[in-house]
Amino acid sequence: MHCLVFPGQGVQRRGMGGELFERYPRETAAATESLGYSVADLCRDDPDDRLADTRYAQPAVFLVNALSWMDLERAGRRYDYFAGHSLGELNALVAAGVIDLMDGLALVRRRAELMAGVTRGAMVAVVGPSPAQVETVLHGAGLNLVHVANRNSDQQVTVAGDRPQLALAVKALRGRGARVLPVSVSGPFHTPLMASAGRAFATVLREYEFRAGHTPVMSSVTGAPFVPDQAVRLLSGQIHRPVEWVRTVRALRAAGVDHFDEVNGTTLTAFISRIAAQPTEELV
């Protein structure tokens, strides 16, 4: 069985999308009208380093992901499952027929604005220790405003939270031999510090209809199939709850998926290659 996965914020880069915008002029023009600016120009020129700004990065990634999927669909590719990492889950829902492309883009625009409005924090990537080991270090240091935000692979997580406490977390993690790298986001995404943005997004989501799709989508919040009737809870919770990518990939494998394709890069493919079939025993 085959699954197509969609990445989220972090994969944006100048030149992203290439000729996709020319191949899909109708969708590109509709996106320009909806957003009030050209994603094609944004990706080509990146004026004022806007791709580093959540408000622009998320719609750009979403649109390039979507056009990339349309290219695959046009070529006759079919998938048994879709899944997306954070923002990418909205792409998965569009591909599965749960929501329309322009509704998805409108949701992403509001999501990005709300997330960008929470600036009291930062995020880092932690490479080496397992998610459980990272959590043990954080708890041991008494850092109640720092949380595991993304469980990406068996040996890569992101940690986010209050900036002063995050600096202490970085010191503690490096003391345990971890490699810690900054992540270019504006706030403590996927942590309880984003709860206000999650509540506001829930209000937005209630204005939209989520249909039963034609292809199952695996939720990156629960690691279980996405249920359209629970869309408001799942997609708003995504903002202030961790991205459970490890759980999602294991659930897809348990469902019979043995091949993953990815649009717009290879970030998730690299994570997937570093996720064991079953959790390994570890000393924490």
Side-chain angles (χ1 to χ4, degrees):
M1 296 179 73
H2 289 62
C3 177
L4 182 66
V5 296
F6 298 88
Q9 185 176 350
V11 301
Q12 68 271 14
R13 60 203 179 277
R14 187 172 182 175
M16 178 177 68
E19 298 177 355
L20 285 170
F21 303 112
E22 295 178 6
R23 286 204 291 276
Y24 297 95
R26 186 179 66 178
E27 291 79 9
T28 299
T32 297
E33 182 177 356
S34 174
L35 295 170
Y37 61 86
S38 168
V39 173
D41 292 346
L42 171 66
C43 290
R44 184 185 65 240
D45 302 324
D46 191 15
D48 302 319
D49 198 26
R50 286 184 176 181
L51 284 174
D53 185 329
T54 294
R55 294 169 298 175
Y56 294 95
Q58 290 194 15
V61 170
F62 175 84
L63 184 60
V64 172
N65 283 355
L67 299 183
S68 299
W69 154 241
M70 291 175 66
D71 242 18
L72 290 172
E73 188 177 42
R74 178 180 285 181
R77 299 296 297 271
R78 297 293 182 267
Y79 291 90
D80 303 291
Y81 280 90
F82 295 114
H85 188 286
S86 187
L87 159 70
E89 191 166 320
L90 284 153
N91 282 114
L93 296 175
V94 171
V98 177
I99 54 174
D100 297 327
L101 175 61
M102 286 300 112
D103 281 350
L105 182 62
L107 283 170
V108 167
R109 179 183 185 179
R110 286 296 295 130
R111 180 185 191 271
E113 291 169 349
L114 292 167
M115 292 179 73
V118 181
T119 58
R120 303 178 309 277
M123 180 181 286
V124 297
V126 182
V127 182
S130 69
Q133 289 170 329
V134 171
E135 289 174 338
T136 296
V137 172
L138 298 180
H139 293 157
L143 301 174
N144 63 329
L145 295 178
V146 178
H147 307 269
V148 170
N150 300 337
R151 295 178 176 89
N152 291 327
S153 76
D154 291 339
Q155 293 186 316
Q156 205 266 40
V157 302
T158 62
V159 171
D162 168 79
R163 287 180 183 273
Q165 284 203 11
L166 189 60
L168 296 175
V170 169
K171 183 176 180 180
L173 289 162
R174 285 177 173 159
R176 293 287 296 268
R179 186 159 62 102
V180 183
L181 306 169
V183 176
S184 182
V185 299
S186 59
F189 297 170
H190 309 300
T191 74
L193 280 69
M194 299 292 297
S196 61
R199 289 191 296 269
F201 193 47
T203 300
V204 176
L205 288 162
R206 291 188 184 98
E207 300 175 3
Y208 290 80
E209 177 186 358
F210 295 86
R211 303 179 294 270
H214 50 70
T215 303
V217 174
M218 201 67 79
S219 167
S220 64
V221 172
T222 64
F226 186 95
V227 180
D229 288 349
Q230 298 178 22
V232 173
R233 179 180 65 85
L234 292 171
L235 294 175
S236 63
Q238 189 189 76
I239 290 177
H240 61 86
R241 292 177 59 185
V243 176
E244 299 288 358
W245 191 243
V246 171
R247 185 184 301 170
T248 300
V249 170
R250 287 190 176 133
L252 286 163
R253 287 174 174 160
V257 171
D258 54 10
H259 184 85
F260 292 88
D261 287 341
E262 178 178 358
V263 301
N264 197 12
T266 60
T267 298
L268 300 182
T269 302
F271 291 158
I272 291 167
S273 71
R274 297 181 178 93
I275 298 174
Q278 296 294 333
T280 56
E281 292 186 8
E282 55 193 21
L283 297 175
V284 297

